[in-house]
Amino acid sequence: MGRIDLWVNNAGISGPFGYALDIPPDAWEQVIRVNLLGTYYGCRAALPYMIKQRNGQIINLSGGGAKRAQRFLSAYSTSKAAIVRLTEAFARDYQDHPYLRFNVLTPGMVPTDMINHFETVGPGGEAIKQLPRVLRIFGTTAEETAELALRIVREGKNGQVFEVMPRHRAIWRLLKAALARRNNGSTG
């Protein structure tokens, strides 16, 4: 159609779930290639069209690791933190192009095939057993992610990180789960 008004880099993989040194180097590198370099090349594909038409917005999806490393997911966490810095770099590099916007969306733990089918290595296999409980407390939905993406498009901000599960919401969910567990324990 000759235009790219909105580009969303949403592809990503988690890689094996385990200690950083237990992950084979080629598997660790693959996560970086897919998540970080995939985002970079996606931006490179869309940006020339946006510059030519003097309009465009890129939303890069980040995730666990954007603010702090996730246990047993060193490559994933590293790639997602790097996506935030990459997005900030694009926003700063192209700040003289006010018609361009670059933002990050962190969807939280959306129960997708990636989360539901972790490959585990070493003690990661035991730790992954807690995932269903963690998802019940901290899980988000694809609908919440889509709503936030629409808000990003409407608000017209640049160089920002938008979270479906910000810290205050995570703390609230954790408190609700603790209260529910306490109430269920005291009535039983």
Side-chain angles (χ1 to χ4, degrees):
M1 295 205 276
R3 291 185 59 88
I4 300 175
D5 296 305
L6 174 64
W7 184 272
V8 178
N9 287 304
N10 185 31
I13 61 173
S14 64
F17 192 82
Y19 287 135
L21 292 180
D22 291 344
I23 307 301
D26 59 331
W28 207 94
E29 288 177 22
Q30 182 184 17
V31 173
I32 300 299
R33 279 193 309 273
V34 170
N35 296 357
L36 177 57
L37 295 178
T39 299
Y40 168 74
Y41 286 120
C43 291
R44 282 187 61 94
L47 196 51
Y49 293 95
M50 294 177 173
I51 291 170
K52 183 178 178 183
Q53 69 197 26
R54 299 183 59 77
N55 180 52
Q57 183 168 177
I58 294 176
I59 298 174
N60 293 325
L61 268 73
S62 184
K67 289 190 171 182
R68 68 183 193 113
Q70 300 299 305
R71 188 164 192 224
F72 299 121
L73 288 170
S74 62
Y76 181 80
S77 294
T78 299
S79 70
K80 294 305 183 171
I83 287 170
V84 173
R85 298 293 87 79
L86 175 67
T87 306
E88 290 170 346
F90 272 107
R92 289 184 62 110
D93 285 353
Y94 292 92
Q95 66 187 3
D96 295 336
H97 298 74
Y99 49 84
L100 297 175
R101 294 188 307 257
F102 305 88
N103 290 293
V104 175
L105 189 159
T106 60
M109 297 181 72
V110 181
T112 62
D113 286 344
M114 184 176 76
I115 285 182
N116 293 328
H117 298 97
F118 274 113
E119 174 189 345
T120 60
V121 177
E126 192 60 33
I128 201 75
K129 292 177 183 175
Q130 296 300 315
L131 186 60
R133 184 172 150 257
V134 172
L135 274 172
R136 276 194 306 277
I137 297 169
F138 299 111
T140 61
T141 66
E143 290 79 16
E144 290 173 299
T145 303
E147 288 173 16
L148 183 52
L150 289 173
R151 193 177 106 212
I152 293 169
V153 171
R154 284 192 301 266
E155 286 187 5
K157 293 184 178 177
N158 189 34
Q160 303 291 311
V161 177
F162 295 84
E163 300 174 83
V164 172
M165 183 63 67
R167 186 177 187 92
H168 68 275
R169 187 173 181 203
I171 290 170
W172 175 245
R173 291 255 188 109
L174 190 58
L175 287 172
K176 281 177 45 179
L179 287 172
R181 188 171 53 239
R182 184 175 146 216
N183 290 338
N184 288 338
S186 64
T187 60

PDB file of all heavy atoms in Angstrom, residues 7 12 23-24 35 52 55-56 109 142 145 172 177-178 180:
ATOM      1  N   TRP A   7       4.451   0.368  13.115  1.00  0.00           N
ATOM      2  CA  TRP A   7       5.221  -0.876  13.013  1.00  0.00           C
ATOM      3  C   TRP A   7       5.390  -1.409  14.424  1.00  0.00           C
ATOM      4  O   TRP A   7       5.857  -0.695  15.320  1.00  0.00           O
ATOM      5  CB  TRP A   7       6.571  -0.582  12.387  1.00  0.00           C
ATOM      6  CG  TRP A   7       7.418  -1.782  12.138  1.00  0.00           C
ATOM      7  CD1 TRP A   7       8.299  -2.349  13.021  1.00  0.00           C
ATOM      8  CD2 TRP A   7       7.506  -2.551  10.950  1.00  0.00           C
ATOM      9  NE1 TRP A   7       8.919  -3.418  12.440  1.00  0.00           N
ATOM     10  CE2 TRP A   7       8.452  -3.564  11.164  1.00  0.00           C
ATOM     11  CE3 TRP A   7       6.872  -2.471   9.713  1.00  0.00           C
ATOM     12  CZ2 TRP A   7       8.783  -4.500  10.193  1.00  0.00           C
ATOM     13  CZ3 TRP A   7       7.200  -3.397   8.746  1.00  0.00           C
ATOM     14  CH2 TRP A   7       8.145  -4.397   8.979  1.00  0.00           C
ATOM     15  N   GLY A  12       9.521 -12.795  19.470  1.00  0.00           N
ATOM     16  CA  GLY A  12      10.509 -13.057  20.496  1.00  0.00           C
ATOM     17  C   GLY A  12      10.459 -14.495  20.958  1.00  0.00           C
ATOM     18  O   GLY A  12       9.456 -15.184  20.802  1.00  0.00           O
ATOM     19  N   ILE A  23      23.040 -22.845  30.088  1.00  0.00           N
ATOM     20  CA  ILE A  23      22.438 -22.655  28.763  1.00  0.00           C
ATOM     21  C   ILE A  23      23.545 -22.773  27.722  1.00  0.00           C
ATOM     22  O   ILE A  23      24.558 -22.078  27.805  1.00  0.00           O
ATOM     23  CB  ILE A  23      21.767 -21.260  28.653  1.00  0.00           C
ATOM     24  CG1 ILE A  23      20.778 -21.010  29.804  1.00  0.00           C
ATOM     25  CG2 ILE A  23      21.095 -21.080  27.295  1.00  0.00           C
ATOM     26  CD1 ILE A  23      19.660 -22.000  29.919  1.00  0.00           C
ATOM     27  N   PRO A  24      23.369 -23.623  26.725  1.00  0.00           N
ATOM     28  CA  PRO A  24      24.389 -23.701  25.670  1.00  0.00           C
ATOM     29  C   PRO A  24      24.569 -22.333  25.000  1.00  0.00           C
ATOM     30  O   PRO A  24      23.586 -21.639  24.724  1.00  0.00           O
ATOM     31  CB  PRO A  24      23.809 -24.723  24.689  1.00  0.00           C
ATOM     32  CG  PRO A  24      22.815 -25.513  25.479  1.00  0.00           C
ATOM     33  CD  PRO A  24      22.269 -24.561  26.509  1.00  0.00           C
ATOM     34  N   ASN A  35      15.456 -11.776  19.477  1.00  0.00           N
ATOM     35  CA  ASN A  35      14.782 -10.708  20.218  1.00  0.00           C
ATOM     36  C   ASN A  35      15.371  -9.328  19.939  1.00  0.00           C
ATOM     37  O   ASN A  35      14.642  -8.397  19.602  1.00  0.00           O
ATOM     38  CB  ASN A  35      14.818 -10.995  21.715  1.00  0.00           C
ATOM     39  CG  ASN A  35      14.052 -12.245  22.093  1.00  0.00           C
ATOM     40  OD1 ASN A  35      13.427 -12.902  21.264  1.00  0.00           O
ATOM     41  ND2 ASN A  35      14.109 -12.609  23.345  1.00  0.00           N
ATOM     42  N   LYS A  52      10.408   8.939   4.778  1.00  0.00           N
ATOM     43  CA  LYS A  52       9.976   9.433   3.473  1.00  0.00           C
ATOM     44  C   LYS A  52       8.578  10.051   3.534  1.00  0.00           C
ATOM     45  O   LYS A  52       8.338  11.114   2.959  1.00  0.00           O
ATOM     46  CB  LYS A  52      10.000   8.292   2.456  1.00  0.00           C
ATOM     47  CG  LYS A  52       9.646   8.720   1.053  1.00  0.00           C
ATOM     48  CD  LYS A  52       9.734   7.544   0.105  1.00  0.00           C
ATOM     49  CE  LYS A  52       9.324   7.971  -1.298  1.00  0.00           C
ATOM     50  NZ  LYS A  52       9.330   6.845  -2.226  1.00  0.00           N
ATOM     51  N   ASN A  55       5.966  10.556   8.718  1.00  0.00           N
ATOM     52  CA  ASN A  55       5.006  10.119   9.719  1.00  0.00           C
ATOM     53  C   ASN A  55       5.278   8.657  10.053  1.00  0.00           C
ATOM     54  O   ASN A  55       5.534   7.859   9.160  1.00  0.00           O
ATOM     55  CB  ASN A  55       3.575  10.259   9.205  1.00  0.00           C
ATOM     56  CG  ASN A  55       2.566   9.799  10.242  1.00  0.00           C
ATOM     57  OD1 ASN A  55       2.601  10.239  11.386  1.00  0.00           O
ATOM     58  ND2 ASN A  55       1.698   8.894   9.865  1.00  0.00           N
ATOM     59  N   GLY A  56       5.200   8.328  11.333  1.00  0.00           N
ATOM     60  CA  GLY A  56       5.295   6.928  11.695  1.00  0.00           C
ATOM     61  C   GLY A  56       5.577   6.714  13.166  1.00  0.00           C
ATOM     62  O   GLY A  56       6.107   7.579  13.862  1.00  0.00           O
ATOM     63  N   MET A 109       3.213 -11.003  31.794  1.00  0.00           N
ATOM     64  CA  MET A 109       3.194 -12.452  31.551  1.00  0.00           C
ATOM     65  C   MET A 109       1.885 -12.851  30.877  1.00  0.00           C
ATOM     66  O   MET A 109       0.910 -13.193  31.538  1.00  0.00           O
ATOM     67  CB  MET A 109       3.380 -13.203  32.867  1.00  0.00           C
ATOM     68  CG  MET A 109       4.719 -12.946  33.525  1.00  0.00           C
ATOM     69  SD  MET A 109       4.911 -13.872  35.056  1.00  0.00           S
ATOM     70  CE  MET A 109       5.118 -15.519  34.395  1.00  0.00           C
ATOM     71  N   ALA A 142      -3.779 -10.798  26.367  1.00  0.00           N
ATOM     72  CA  ALA A 142      -3.512 -10.177  25.069  1.00  0.00           C
ATOM     73  C   ALA A 142      -4.395  -8.942  24.887  1.00  0.00           C
ATOM     74  O   ALA A 142      -3.973  -7.950  24.286  1.00  0.00           O
ATOM     75  CB  ALA A 142      -3.755 -11.183  23.947  1.00  0.00           C
ATOM     76  N   THR A 145      -2.853  -5.997  26.576  1.00  0.00           N
ATOM     77  CA  THR A 145      -1.715  -5.546  25.775  1.00  0.00           C
ATOM     78  C   THR A 145      -2.196  -4.731  24.583  1.00  0.00           C
ATOM     79  O   THR A 145      -1.644  -3.666  24.277  1.00  0.00           O
ATOM     80  CB  THR A 145      -0.873  -6.749  25.310  1.00  0.00           C
ATOM     81  OG1 THR A 145      -0.447  -7.484  26.462  1.00  0.00           O
ATOM     82  CG2 THR A 145       0.335  -6.316  24.515  1.00  0.00           C
ATOM     83  N   TRP A 172      -0.239  -4.858  44.204  1.00  0.00           N
ATOM     84  CA  TRP A 172      -1.657  -5.059  44.519  1.00  0.00           C
ATOM     85  C   TRP A 172      -2.072  -6.509  44.281  1.00  0.00           C
ATOM     86  O   TRP A 172      -2.748  -7.116  45.114  1.00  0.00           O
ATOM     87  CB  TRP A 172      -2.515  -4.111  43.693  1.00  0.00           C
ATOM     88  CG  TRP A 172      -3.990  -4.329  43.870  1.00  0.00           C
ATOM     89  CD1 TRP A 172      -4.873  -4.756  42.938  1.00  0.00           C
ATOM     90  CD2 TRP A 172      -4.746  -4.144  45.072  1.00  0.00           C
ATOM     91  NE1 TRP A 172      -6.132  -4.840  43.466  1.00  0.00           N
ATOM     92  CE2 TRP A 172      -6.079  -4.475  44.794  1.00  0.00           C
ATOM     93  CE3 TRP A 172      -4.419  -3.734  46.363  1.00  0.00           C
ATOM     94  CZ2 TRP A 172      -7.084  -4.409  45.745  1.00  0.00           C
ATOM     95  CZ3 TRP A 172      -5.429  -3.671  47.303  1.00  0.00           C
ATOM     96  CH2 TRP A 172      -6.736  -4.009  46.985  1.00  0.00           C
ATOM     97  N   ALA A 177      -3.423 -11.917  46.464  1.00  0.00           N
ATOM     98  CA  ALA A 177      -3.151 -13.356  46.522  1.00  0.00           C
ATOM     99  C   ALA A 177      -2.829 -13.786  47.953  1.00  0.00           C
ATOM    100  O   ALA A 177      -3.297 -14.841  48.417  1.00  0.00           O
ATOM    101  CB  ALA A 177      -2.007 -13.712  45.585  1.00  0.00           C
ATOM    102  N   ALA A 178      -2.048 -12.976  48.669  1.00  0.00           N
ATOM    103  CA  ALA A 178      -1.708 -13.302  50.055  1.00  0.00           C
ATOM    104  C   ALA A 178      -2.952 -13.290  50.941  1.00  0.00           C
ATOM    105  O   ALA A 178      -3.141 -14.172  51.793  1.00  0.00           O
ATOM    106  CB  ALA A 178      -0.658 -12.322  50.579  1.00  0.00           C
ATOM    107  N   ALA A 180      -6.077 -13.759  49.962  1.00  0.00           N
ATOM    108  CA  ALA A 180      -6.912 -14.894  49.565  1.00  0.00           C
ATOM    109  C   ALA A 180      -6.373 -16.184  50.167  1.00  0.00           C
ATOM    110  O   ALA A 180      -7.146 -17.010  50.684  1.00  0.00           O
ATOM    111  CB  ALA A 180      -6.975 -15.001  48.036  1.00  0.00           C
TER     112      ALA A 180
END
